[in-house]
Amino acid sequence: MTAAEISARAEFAKHLARDAGALAGRYFRREIDFVEETKGPQDFVSAADHAVEALIRERLQKAFPADAMLGEESGGELGHNLWVVDPIDGTINFVHGVRYWCIAIAFIAAGERRIGVIYDPSLDELFWAAKGENAWCDETRIHVSPRDRLDHALVCAGYVPRHPLEEHLALKRRLHEAGVAVKDMGAGALMLAHVAAGRYDGFLEPHMHPWDASAGLLLAQEAGARIHPYPGPGGLVAGGPVIAAAPGIFDALERLALMR
């Protein structure tokens, strides 16, 4: 794929994320009413998720009909040129009226992450990256933090009920004992964007789906973060563990995360 083709897709994805965020915002403000549903314990979905994903799929199919799309809600087929989409990451926050959620769009060509876009409608911040072209928040280049000590670090440790609870609690204990300040804001893609922007020093979660992880991992890498290899041995659809952090704390954070 040529540089011009990647650039065209990146610009399209940035505009698409804003349009998708505008539609999601109408649901969030209850301008369009909806009833949330659950797919499992603390695993919410809503008409807003489906409507936003449908908008994204329709626009992508019209603009790039040969590209494939994998979405959280409606699935899809893998392809050489693949869009990976989470229409609303942080749905549990969204349905409770908490302003920490985002739109996440990634583009993967021949198995390589090439474009990552994350839009936060609540703060009107558009995080984006194309491979080899740095990471940005709107028109400002962003960088990971210079943090080099765990006992000075602010790290997000994601948890959902499909993760073994005892392992998560043991990890949090190890982090706290190392002096880390630990948060879980409930939207993995947005937390990864905030690692890229240097607001958090690291993020880790024992398993993330590709629609949650792909855009944020590229953003973090392009902003200077080190990341744990992703996906795992099961391939893209299976996902895998996610660790992304400032270089100065990555090794120590990875050791703590992988301890059993």
Side-chain angles (χ1 to χ4, degrees), residues 16-25 27 39 44-57 69-75 84-91 94 101-106 117-121 189 210-212:
L16 179 57
R18 286 191 180 277
D19 288 346
L23 176 59
Y27 282 94
K39 296 183 282 187
F44 285 83
V45 67
S46 72
D49 297 80
H50 292 292
V52 173
E53 186 165 310
L55 170 70
I56 294 172
R57 186 178 293 276
M69 178 182 144
L70 178 65
E72 178 178 11
E73 306 307 336
S74 57
V84 184
V85 173
D86 193 339
I88 300 175
D89 183 53
T91 301
F94 183 92
W101 53 274
C102 66
I103 315 297
I105 301 174
V117 177
I118 294 175
Y119 180 52
D120 176 1
W211 43 82
D212 296 316

Side-chain angles (χ1 to χ4, degrees), residues 125-146:
E125 289 186 323
L126 183 73
F127 301 91
W128 61 277
K131 186 172 177 61
E133 297 184 18
N134 305 310
W136 306 81
C137 180
D138 297 314
E139 302 305 316
T140 302
R141 186 177 172 186
I142 55 176
H143 306 267
V144 295
S145 82

Side-chain angles (χ1 to χ4, degrees), residues 71 77 146:
E77 299 294 329

Side-chain angles (χ1 to χ4, degrees), residues 25 28-29 93-94 96-101 120-123 190:
F28 183 77
R29 295 186 297 272
N93 291 340
F94 183 92
H96 284 84
V98 176
R99 293 181 177 274
Y100 199 93
W101 53 274
D120 176 1
S122 298
L123 294 179
L190 191 52

Side-chain angles (χ1 to χ4, degrees), residues 8 15 42 90 101 110 113 124 127 138 158 162 180 197 218-219 238 245 250 252-253:
H15 290 291
Q42 298 297 335
W101 53 274
R113 292 183 291 271
D124 190 25
F127 301 91
D138 297 314
R162 72 175 183 273
V180 180
L218 181 61
L219 273 161
F250 179 84
L253 192 63

